[in-house]
Amino acid sequence: MKLKALSLLVTAALLSACGGGSDNDSEKPPITPPVVKLTKDEAMAKLLAAQADNYILPAYQTLMDEADKLDAASIMFCAYQASSESELTELKNAWLALSKAWQFAKAVKMGPESEEFRHYRLQFWPDNNNAVQRGVASLLAAQVIDENAVASLQDGAQGLPALELLIFNQSQDASLLSASNKHERCLAVMAIAANVKTVATEILALWQHEKIGFVLDFKNGSGEYNTKQAVLEDFITNWFELIEVIKDNKLNNVKGTLIPGSPEKAESYVSLSSLENIKTNFAGLKQAYLAGNGYGFDEYLVDIHENTQVNDTILNYFDEIDVLLNDIEKPLSQAVTIQDSRNKLSPLITKIDELRTYLSTDFIQLTGLNPNFNSNDGD
């Protein structure tokens, strides 16, 4: 009997050790790991790193790549003794690709780009005093037409507008195909393209230099900045400036109050790409807001401010503006001369103004960021 009792006790102990003795033990919920919340400083660091790695540096890399392609295209075009219309089209397409890369990067305008007038050397605009036309004329009259001559002249002789004037001009006496001084014009195109490539290369190199690159100060809130918040405030200041320039300089000044408006004031009037510039500007602004596919303001607003409504509203504005832009089927310089197209421009301008107002109120109040922006500072 004792052996039997002992056997029963051992069996019960084993069952208890294996958990077979209680239904409650098997019903215990799994342990959920604690949610790790980012501090505000950690979130800002993550946001700035994503901005640099997913939007800014790729945008400047594309700018440099397209500048290199235009430089090569200008040399190729000018190598022909009698270039054809198709070869000129290839040169025009290279300019358009570079212009698009520049317009996409315009939401940055920090550090090396704003130093040494690089921004204006890439694009002198608005041009209220015909500086581009006078600069090109001075370059064509120079004894030696090369990159050094371009760099020695005022900003109007440099950059995309000067190239546009030379490449897209269709008048008989100014075309690269038919002008009596087409050789000098070709030299000017090659010289300006080489200078643009130099400037674009400098910007990227100074941003991403391993030891002294501006990207280090951008990510860490160091150098000329005291905090990461100061970097973010500088960054979004450029958004406000760009939106204001789009609304006032790129649209309102061109549309005017009455038909036919002022089509000659359009940003890229000669190439008829002014509207495409605006589309690309907003594509760049959206990428800057989202930090590409990285940790953008959409996630920052949730993590730090537990708010999705402001983000949803901002993204909705971007979508609405995109629809309104795509509804305008003619180049801007033509659209302002036609009443039906002008009717489509009005709601676009209104929607852009609404986005700017929303950013300056709800977005700023929620984030506590204070952009250093005065209305209509210019580009």
Side-chain angles (χ1 to χ4, degrees):
M1 290 293 293
K2 289 182 179 180
L3 289 175
K4 186 174 181 180
L6 179 61
S7 176
L8 288 172
L9 288 171
V10 170
T11 301
L14 290 172
L15 287 172
S16 176
C18 293
S22 172
D23 291 337
N24 292 333
D25 289 343
S26 63
E27 295 175 358
K28 289 181 179 179
I31 298 175
T32 303
V35 176
V36 179
K37 290 194 67 175
L38 296 173
T39 66
K40 188 174 182 179
D41 188 71
E42 289 171 340
M44 283 186 174
K46 193 173 181 180
L47 177 60
L48 289 169
Q51 296 285 359
D53 295 339
N54 298 321
Y55 168 61
I56 297 173
L57 292 180
Y60 281 142
Q61 181 67 58
T62 301
L63 180 69
M64 191 192 76
D65 291 344
E66 295 301 338
D68 184 54
K69 291 176 184 177
L70 177 63
D71 180 50
S74 70
I75 295 170
M76 181 68 71
F77 175 84
C78 293
Y80 295 108
Q81 290 185 348
S83 300
S84 66
E85 189 67 48
S86 63
E87 289 154 354
L88 179 57
T89 298
E90 291 180 11
L91 182 60
K92 289 178 178 179
N93 288 338
W95 183 91
L96 289 168
L98 173 57
S99 177
K100 184 174 182 178
W102 168 241
Q103 296 293 338
F104 186 78
K106 281 177 75 68
V108 187
K109 198 183 174 185
M110 296 175 68
E113 182 189 320
S114 62
E115 296 168 354
E116 297 185 13
F117 303 102
R118 291 187 181 94
H119 185 84
Y120 291 105
R121 288 162 62 194
L122 285 175
Q123 187 192 22
F124 188 82
W125 188 85
D127 180 11
N128 298 319
N129 297 309
N130 292 322
V132 172
Q133 192 169 18
R134 289 186 286 107
V136 169
S138 296
L139 180 61
L140 291 173
Q143 290 185 343
V144 178
I145 302 175
D146 59 11
E147 185 179 354
N148 290 330
V150 172
S152 69
L153 293 172
Q154 296 296 321
D155 297 339
Q158 305 183 35
L160 289 162
L163 281 169
E164 180 189 20
L165 186 62
L166 286 162
I167 293 172
F168 288 86
N169 201 318
Q170 296 181 357
S171 64
Q172 189 74 16
D173 60 347
S175 168
L176 286 176
L177 298 178
S178 59
S180 59
N181 64 341
K182 64 181 181 181
H183 174 69
E184 288 76 12
R185 289 177 177 275
C186 240
L187 290 176
V189 168
M190 289 190 293
I192 300 171
N195 187 61
V196 167
K197 177 182 174 181
T198 295
V199 175
T201 302
E202 287 175 353
I203 291 173
L204 180 62
L206 290 169
W207 259 90
Q208 64 182 9
H209 190 283
E210 184 178 352
K211 294 182 178 180
I212 60 170
F214 183 76
V215 70
L216 301 175
D217 292 339
F218 182 89
K219 289 182 177 181
N220 299 323
S222 55
E224 63 184 80
Y225 299 103
N226 296 322
T227 62
K228 297 180 181 69
Q229 177 163 329
V231 182
L232 284 173
E233 289 175 343
D234 198 11
F235 192 38
I236 65 172
T237 292
N238 297 319
W239 302 1
F240 280 93
E241 287 187 6
L242 179 56
I243 294 171
E244 188 87 350
V245 165
I246 293 170
K247 179 174 68 75
D248 288 344
N249 297 349
K250 296 192 179 193
L251 287 170
N252 272 328
N253 288 352
V254 183
K255 180 175 179 285
T257 55
L258 300 172
I259 289 178
S262 301
E264 72 284 353
K265 291 183 179 179
E267 181 181 23
S268 297
Y269 169 66
V270 183
S271 62
L272 300 178
S273 57
S274 305
L275 195 64
E276 292 304 314
N277 290 355
I278 298 172
K279 292 178 183 179
T280 306
N281 290 157
F282 276 106
L285 282 164
K286 186 176 181 179
Q287 284 299 296
Y289 176 79
L290 295 172
N293 294 320
Y295 185 88
F297 274 101
D298 51 336
E299 292 162 296
Y300 178 83
L301 295 182
V302 174
D303 286 350
I304 301 303
H305 302 287
E306 299 181 347
N307 184 291
T308 59
Q309 181 180 351
V310 170
N311 172 66
D312 291 342
T313 302
I314 291 171
L315 292 180
N316 190 54
Y317 272 121
F318 278 122
D319 290 341
E320 290 176 333
I321 289 170
D322 187 57
V323 170
L324 291 169
L325 280 166
N326 287 316
D327 193 39
I328 302 166
E329 299 174 348
K330 296 183 180 297
L332 182 61
S333 54
Q334 296 176 13
V336 296
T337 66
I338 305 168
Q339 190 59 54
D340 287 346
S341 298
R342 289 174 64 87
N343 291 341
K344 294 179 179 180
L345 285 171
S346 296
L348 169 64
I349 294 169
T350 298
K351 190 62 64 175
I352 291 172
D353 191 47
E354 288 176 3
L355 169 61
R356 187 201 175 288
T357 300
Y358 190 79
L359 287 172
S360 65
T361 53
D362 293 57
F363 175 74
I364 292 303
Q365 290 169 10
L366 177 64
T367 60
L369 298 172
N370 296 300
N372 180 26
F373 175 72
N374 293 317
S375 181
N376 209 17
D377 273 349
D379 197 26

